Amino acid sequence: MPQINASPALAHLRVLDLSRVRAGPTCVRILADFGADVIRIEPPAGIDPNEAMFAADRQGGDFQNLNRNKRSLTLNLKTPEGLEVFRKLVVDADVVVENWRPDVKDRLGLSYEKLSAINPRIILASISGFGQNGPYAGRPGFDQIIQGMGGLMSVTGFSGGGPLRAGLAVADCGTGIYAAVGILLALLEREHSGLGQWIHSSLLHTQIALMDFQAARYLNEGDLPVQVGNDHPTSSPMGLFNARDGAFNLGASGEGNWKRLCDCLGEAAWLQDPRYASEKLRVRHRAALNEALARRFRERDVAHWVKLLNDAGVPAGPVYSMPEVFDDPQVRHLGVAQAVPGDDGSSYRLISQPVTLERTPAGIARPAPGWGEHTQEVLTEIGYGTADVQRMRSEGVV
């Protein structure tokens, strides 16, 4: 089968991507970047009333970043022939990813039970807002709704400032990553059993899982997480401080970092101050400690403090704007932004995978496909001739 050849790691796999918006494409992007043959299956133009939300600006950075390394097949699953084409694709596929509302796949006859009857090795990954069953299963789920229901907005922002959303799609991206992990686990298990399985992940469960220590502290110690702005809820000194020319972050949690901080600042007296004798006491007396640190930090520039603290082994870093992020020498060294040429002579700068496999690394071989760019190619692979494809185009099947 033709491959985009982003990496050899998953080049033996074929993935049928029915997903839209962010969580699903985030999941499938991981598989595509590691070489899976991903076929993005999209309705022909004019079929989906929400198509502008997920496919209109195909040249935009967001769409390109989410959908690079994929092929595109247009297919109208609302037609009997469109469903028949999809079932033929399932015969030789390894993974199907969808993020419809839970009842849609049943209405289309594409449930895991139906798919596994065609191909017992198939893995179906279903992504939803609230889960595949339960009282909220039928609800639509967007990231901000889930940030609110999963607790993130209750702990984000400054005390008394009211709920605040995080500045990125935490639930969407996290769910996509968890779903990809689930797919890889199911593929690994299939090597022993020979069977696929149905895996599902939800934005709600993911968001609560990402609350991590905040949720665990509440469940086990009864500690109610609250908004603490740029301070850390359980560690001090840790947070945002203003230097003479701007802000920087300091992370001096733990006794070792605390001692190194006092030593490099020449504040031996703080080590003897009973208010700061332990982490818990430093949290309790955070206001006084932060003010003492603020007086010192206002004396010099950010660059001075970041170097001094890091040289002493105390975590510290500047607060970057987006241009500054990509100008940073370590970011450039890591190859975070990767240039990818388009077929029309254009060029995109996309975000590389943040996990490195030394022998079979991920890659970005091609930008996102044009709408239905590979329809003829994919259908030819499963036995359809040119005349068949032309007829299906005229009938609105593809």
Side-chain angles (χ1 to χ4, degrees):
M1 69 181 70
Q3 292 280 355
I4 289 177
N5 295 321
S7 168
L10 301 178
H12 58 295
L13 299 176
R14 172 170 282 189
V15 179
L16 306 180
D17 179 15
L18 295 165
S19 69
R20 300 291 180 267
V21 192
R22 189 164 309 281
T26 295
C27 163
V28 178
R29 175 178 61 193
I30 296 171
L31 308 178
D33 285 1
F34 280 101
D37 177 32
V38 172
I39 301 172
R40 178 180 164 85
I41 297 172
E42 310 179 70
I47 298 297
D48 189 334
N50 294 316
E51 67 185 26
M53 183 173 65
F54 60 78
D57 187 11
R58 301 183 80 91
Q59 307 310 312
D62 188 25
F63 186 90
Q64 288 290 326
N65 197 51
L66 280 171
N67 294 293
R68 75 275 186 111
N69 290 335
K70 303 176 184 179
R71 298 196 283 169
S72 174
L73 161 71
T74 52
L75 193 60
N76 187 353
L77 297 177
K78 295 180 180 180
T79 65
E81 191 170 12
L83 285 170
E84 181 58 30
V85 171
F86 183 78
R87 293 187 182 103
K88 287 185 178 181
L89 287 167
V90 169
V91 170
D92 293 317
D94 297 281
V95 180
V96 175
V97 179
E98 58 88 10
N99 61 350
W100 298 321
R101 294 192 197 183
D103 63 319
V104 172
K105 56 184 165 294
D106 294 321
R107 287 193 280 106
L108 290 174
L110 300 178
S111 65
Y112 174 70
E113 181 182 24
K114 298 290 188 182
L115 296 181
S116 63
I118 300 169
N119 176 0
R121 292 174 56 82
I122 199 72
I123 292 162
L124 172 63
S126 295
I127 297 170
S128 63
F130 296 93
Q132 294 299 303
N133 45 54
Y136 298 164
R139 287 188 182 184
F142 280 103
D143 183 88
Q144 184 159 344
I145 308 302
I146 304 301
Q147 285 193 32
M149 295 181 68
L152 180 59
M153 291 176 68
S154 74
V155 301
T156 304
F158 292 92
S159 178
L164 186 68
R165 70 179 291 274
L168 70 159
V170 178
D172 272 337
C173 295
T175 304
I177 295 168
Y178 274 123
V181 171
I183 290 169
L184 295 172
L185 287 169
L187 287 166
L188 186 62
E189 191 278 336
R190 192 179 71 176
E191 293 184 5
H192 301 280
S193 68
L195 299 173
Q197 58 184 301
W198 184 25
I199 68 172
H200 29 101
S201 59
S202 72
L203 273 66
L204 181 61
H205 197 159
T206 292
Q207 182 61 81
I208 297 169
L210 291 174
M211 293 299 290
D212 195 53
F213 73 96
Q214 297 277 43
R217 285 170 52 229
Y218 167 71
L219 289 174
N220 293 281
E221 285 79 53
D223 291 343
L224 181 64
V226 296
Q227 294 167 309
V228 291
N230 288 312
D231 292 320
H232 191 280
T234 62
S235 296
S236 179
M238 181 177 284
L240 186 74
F241 292 88
N242 287 311
R244 187 165 58 189
D245 63 339
F248 71 97
N249 281 307
L250 168 70
S253 63
E255 298 310 315
N257 280 327
W258 168 242
K259 184 179 186 304
R260 285 189 288 272
L261 174 66
C262 294
D263 288 345
C264 78
L265 295 180
E267 295 287 357
W270 291 355
L271 294 172
Q272 307 306 318
D273 192 320
R275 296 175 299 173
Y276 310 145
S278 70
E279 187 89 66
K280 285 187 177 181
L281 287 169
R282 291 192 293 275
V283 171
R284 185 182 306 169
H285 298 286
R286 189 201 306 271
L289 178 55
N290 280 1
E291 180 52 37
L293 285 164
R295 286 194 296 270
R296 289 298 313 277
F297 292 145
R298 284 193 290 265
E299 297 171 0
R300 304 293 296 268
D301 292 347
V302 168
H304 169 82
W305 293 120
V306 168
K307 184 177 188 311
L308 179 74
L309 292 164
N310 278 289
D311 286 349
V314 180
V319 178
Y320 284 154
S321 65
M322 197 55 63
E324 291 171 320
V325 168
F326 290 104
D327 283 340
D328 184 272
Q330 185 65 26
V331 174
R332 293 199 303 269
H333 171 79
L334 293 171
V336 174
Q338 183 173 335
V340 183
D343 294 333
D344 59 357
S346 60
S347 180
Y348 303 97
R349 294 180 72 204
L350 307 179
I351 310 302
S352 61
Q353 282 294 332
V355 58
T356 299
L357 275 64
E358 284 286 342
R359 187 166 51 79
T360 57
I364 305 178
R366 286 182 54 89
W371 207 329
E373 178 181 345
H374 303 95
T375 296
Q376 178 73 58
E377 176 180 289
V378 172
L379 294 182
T380 299
E381 292 168 11
I382 57 173
Y384 289 95
T386 301
D388 296 319
V389 177
Q390 290 175 343
R391 176 187 57 77
M392 286 191 281
R393 287 190 193 279
S394 68
E395 295 175 356
V397 177
V398 299

